[in-house]
Amino acid sequence: MGQKIQSVKGMNDLLPVEQKDFKITAAYWQAFENLIQNWTKRFAYQQIRTPIVEQTGLFVRSIGEETDVVGKEMYTFSDSNDTLSLSLRPEGTASCLRAVVEHSLLHAAPQKLWYMGPMFRRERPQKGRYRQFHQVGIEALGFAEADVDAEIIAMCADLWKELGITDYLTLEINSLGNKEERAAHRSALVDYLSGFYEQLDEDCQRRLHTNPLRVLDTKNPALQDIVNQAPRLIDYLGEESLQHYQTVKNFLTGLGIDFVENPRLVRGLDYYNHTVFEWTTDKLGAQATVCGGGRYDGLIEELGGKPAPSIGFAMGIERLLLLVRDYGCLKANNAPDVFVMQQGEGGALVAMRYATQLRQAGFNVAQFSGSAKLKNQFKRADDSGARFALIIAESEMENNQITLKDLRGENGQITIAASELISQLNTWSK
Ligand code: ATP
Ligand code: MG
């Protein structure tokens, strides 16, 4: 026997059954994907699918060289005998905008887009944090006004409601203002933090020079007093920025969406301005953020497109499903309607013909493959979750009959003429 080969650390298989340390099944995942299809349709957002691999430069330019994601977490490699550096995408916005600019999608009209798929970051794997994880993301491109900020937040709220997790999520919002306002705040922040340089941890000392806003994001308990007293970005916002922020809040209030203002919410990627938000939960331990997003008015221009103010968010599917599985109401149902079993000479062919007939009538049909005692076949039928069993044995074949058993309901077992198969099942299914 050859040695077993293990999966890559931090990258999960999705199986038909629950795993010990990852309780999401493929069927559950698919139920979620179906719901997402309907949800995006309800809001009239269009899907975009981009490659998983992009030029590394795309992420460096959009997400920022000094961020953890680009600085430490990307899977980067060079294409063989090519000098081009490629990376597995760590998030979806950069690829989405690259495609929009490349294909001039914004020339005709603004765009409301969504995507779903795997992302890759080399982080320390733990519950809710993986190296291959999946996101659903929304991007509203070419919209400057605060109504669209509210629309996409309301879109999240709508999804939480459908998934039954509204009570377990808190919406936190903040405004990062514009570039000039951030620059003024940044220099005040650097002055202030420099006064505490010796007390800062290594990470924060480094960030002080590369990305001081991220110091406010530190989880180090010893630094909480220092960051709580730090200059607040909100105090540096001009009238226009405050107005935009206020309008977003008015919309949310008007829509009945509760929120908490968090002046320290900065988000981990460099491209955000004005509105930023996160949906957090206290049910997933340290991996508290289920969904995060914000405005990125300058990013499309940064990527070579005509200026187009935009906003978006991404949610982590693993975290979301861990929450939904324990607290929400999504159900996966991949049980067949009918389980077909057979016994005796020629039974397999007859059973397959009935199975075909049933599928054509719209039933989902599982068939016992191979041969075994009917008792064992019944056990398999039970395990499959099928509602009905169709049994073909010698006497049924001789008399051109079939036997049906209601495995879950009150109808019991009957033997009837083969021609009545579909009508009988339709009656039982009502
Ligand atoms: P965190 O602060 O938890 O690291 P983040 O700010 O890096 O999150 P974003 O880049 O905003 O996350 O991505 C949006 C969402 O994607 C997150 O809120 C989270 O639900 C999910 N996510 C991010 N990184 C991971 C990961 N390594 N594993 C699983 N889900 C992730
Ligand atoms: Mg992160």
Side-chain angles (χ1 to χ4, degrees), residues 68-69 73 121 123 129 214 319:
D68 287 350
V69 172
E73 298 169 358
R121 298 182 192 177
E123 303 196 68
R129 193 176 292 285
R214 289 303 308 271
R319 285 187 202 177

Side-chain angles (χ1 to χ4, degrees), residues 62 91-98 115 119 135 138-139 141 269 271-272 296 299 303 312-314:
S62 56
E91 54 102 58
T93 299
S95 313
C96 176
L97 298 199
R98 193 264 314 135
Y115 61 82
M119 308 293 162
Q135 290 183 334
I138 290 290
E139 316 286 1
L141 312 175
L269 316 179
Y271 50 61
Y272 290 110
Y296 45 86
L299 186 53
L303 293 175
F313 65 76

Side-chain angles (χ1 to χ4, degrees), residues 3-62:
Q3 266 210 334
K4 285 188 195 164
I5 297 176
Q6 306 279 324
S7 63
V8 177
K9 197 173 156 197
M11 305 203 180
N12 292 306
D13 296 311
L14 281 177
L15 304 179
V17 293
E18 289 186 3
Q19 302 165 63
K20 195 160 64 74
D21 48 7
F22 190 71
K23 296 200 183 301
I24 309 298
T25 63
Y28 203 67
W29 196 283
Q30 200 186 28
F32 174 75
E33 285 178 341
N34 292 345
L35 190 123
I36 291 295
Q37 302 272 358
N38 292 330
W39 171 65
T40 50
K41 248 191 216 156
R42 272 207 303 281
F43 284 81
Y45 278 61
Q46 309 279 337
Q47 190 177 27
I48 181 165
R49 301 190 189 202
T50 61
I52 284 165
V53 176
E54 297 275 358
Q55 294 190 31
T56 304
L58 172 67
F59 303 117
V60 172
R61 203 180 323 159
S62 56

Side-chain angles (χ1 to χ4, degrees), residues 192-202 204-206 208-209 226:
Y192 168 84
L193 290 172
S194 300
F196 298 94
Y197 190 79
E198 295 307 323
Q199 284 157 261
L200 298 182
D201 58 30
E202 212 178 298
C204 290
Q205 287 180 345
R206 185 173 46 82
L208 178 58
H209 300 295
I226 295 177

